[in-house]
Amino acid sequence: MAASFYESVRGYVEQASALLEVEDDVRILLAQPYREVDVQVPIHGNDGSVLSFRGYRVQHNGARGPFKGGLRYHPDTDLDEVRALASLMTWKCALLDLPFGGAKGGMTIDPATLSRRELEAVTRSFTHAISGVIGPNLDILAPDVNTDARVMSWVMDAYSSRAGWSPAVVTGKPLDLGGVPGRIQATGRGVVAVTEATLAALGRSLPGQRVVIQGFGNVGRHVAEIAAERGAVIVGVSDVSGGRHLPEGFDVPALLAEIGPGVLLKEVGVGDFLTNAELLGLDCDILIPAALENAIDATNVAAVRAPLVVEAANHPVSPEADTVLADGGVTVVPDILANAGGVTGSYFEWTSNLTEFRWSEERFNEQLLDFMARAFRTTWETHVERRVDLRTAAYMVGMARVAEAVRLRGLA
Ligand code: NAD
């Protein structure tokens, strides 16, 4: 049986700590989550009956700063998934040299089956349930799969109703509530920046490259938009309903204009329809999985034809598939580097909230590219010097920093 998501991440963590020769006392602290909250989240449904959901917040490691991580609503979300995502956040924040530890939250819920009122009620109920372990200097939430600026507003309001005005408890907020311009595009902008840096290191460049993107939500849409602006040709896109293929490349602004809220790609009349399985096997130069974990696994990896895979989603490539891709000479840019623009933008927003100083979009984007470039450089140097793949290099950089913070604080 394939390893679970969390077991897979633990495997990467163990591999990096062995290569870094991290001492056992520290290794134990890095391997295990600091705190796990698993709560009942009850609300009254629209018909007056009680609906009860499970909600989770896992705080993996806080040696370098307050815990930081997104909040996901998905019917398949469980504690194992949230644990794995929390661990990824620890290494991602450290790799980007952000003053945060790693956390993640999630609820086992299908938001498509809830009314707006029920979604708000469930968000407020969950926020109250975890309010004792979150806060601007304790644990800061952000959007993830199926959550957005509106959900973040409810989190902020529910928390602030008890603790007083606390915009810094959550990032990815609307601009009128302390959000910062640039944050919504930040994950996508970072993905494109890291893709360009990788291509440059490989002696190539983005203009003219044929790109396929799996997942057309907050991350995938902005990757498509920004990559196209920078000269890439977007030949395939997909969402949960399936995908669209256009070998000559989409007019991305026109495609985005057709995809309003709730509109699926299967309903769009441009390009040829194809399944997600077919999309992964398209002839292209760059494949960007931007949907969910394990999208590329042992069962479908043989179909992948792209020589470069950039992990915009968290853990979209299973360890088994990762090995097959490496054996086939495919370069894989790991999630904790590729999609770190989101948490980096969240760091700017948090800073802006704490200092009550507004950032301009120009400053935001300039700093974002600067942080991404530094993280890429350090990862690439480690990859070359230690002769390890990019994922192992990224884990090693992040882990070395967390391990040092653990030692300096006298935690181990
Ligand atoms: P989202 O909910 O906005 O979008 C998810 C997209 O994936 C949707 O288009 C959905 O239809 C599609 N999808 C779902 N199941 C699919 C399937 N089986 N096949 C193909 N497509 C499918 O979520 P998002 O915020 O864009 O997050 C996507 C990924 O990026 C997640 O792994 C998330 O953890 C990661 N991520 C997000 C952020 C952020 O800022 N939002 C930051 C870092 C990493």
Side-chain angles (χ1 to χ4, degrees), residues 72 144-146 187 216-219 239-240 276 290-291 312-314 339:
R72 173 178 290 199
D144 192 72
V145 173
N146 289 326
T187 309
F216 214 51
N218 179 41
V219 178
D239 62 19
V240 69
N276 263 294
N314 282 311
N339 68 32

Side-chain angles (χ1 to χ4, degrees), residues 177-198:
L177 277 183
V180 285
R183 171 62 187 89
I184 196 160
Q185 300 89 354
T187 309
R189 194 173 299 286
V191 169
V192 176
V194 168
T195 304
E196 289 189 288
T198 308

Side-chain angles (χ1 to χ4, degrees), residues 84-275:
L85 291 163
S87 176
L88 288 180
M89 286 303 295
T90 297
W91 318 118
K92 191 182 301 183
C93 291
L95 173 61
L96 269 288
D97 208 6
L98 308 177
F100 290 135
K104 201 79 178 189
M107 228 181 300
T108 314
I109 191 168
D110 183 357
T113 62
L114 300 183
S115 68
R116 183 196 174 282
R117 189 202 67 76
E118 289 168 331
L119 193 65
E120 176 174 347
V122 92
T123 302
R124 289 181 182 279
S125 179
F126 177 63
T127 306
H128 287 311
I130 62 166
S131 61
V133 296
I134 62 171
N137 289 307
L138 183 54
D139 186 354
I140 304 124
L141 289 77
D144 192 72
V145 173
N146 289 326
T147 60
D148 56 12
R150 187 179 60 162
V151 173
M152 297 306 113
S153 303
W154 296 329
V155 172
M156 183 224 152
D157 186 66
Y159 182 82
S160 294
S161 69
R162 292 188 174 179
W165 173 249
S166 309
V169 71
V170 62
T171 55
K173 299 178 293 293
L175 298 186
D176 287 330
L177 277 183
V180 285
R183 171 62 187 89
I184 196 160
Q185 300 89 354
T187 309
R189 194 173 299 286
V191 169
V192 176
V194 168
T195 304
E196 289 189 288
T198 308
L199 288 168
L202 297 171
R204 288 157 53 195
S205 66
L206 189 60
Q209 297 284 303
R210 293 163 306 147
V211 175
V212 167
I213 302 167
Q214 183 204 43
F216 214 51
N218 179 41
V219 178
R221 288 175 195 212
H222 290 114
V223 170
E225 190 174 32
I226 297 163
E229 277 167 14
R230 299 194 58 83
V233 184
I234 313 299
V235 297
V237 292
S238 75
D239 62 19
V240 69
S241 73
R244 292 277 158 192
H245 179 214
L246 194 63
E248 63 269 33
F250 291 101
D251 174 345
V252 176
L255 177 64
L256 289 171
E258 276 204 53
I259 305 263
V263 177
L264 293 168
L265 281 166
K266 72 172 180 194
E267 299 157 18
V268 169
V270 54
D272 296 325
F273 178 81
L274 78 181
T275 64

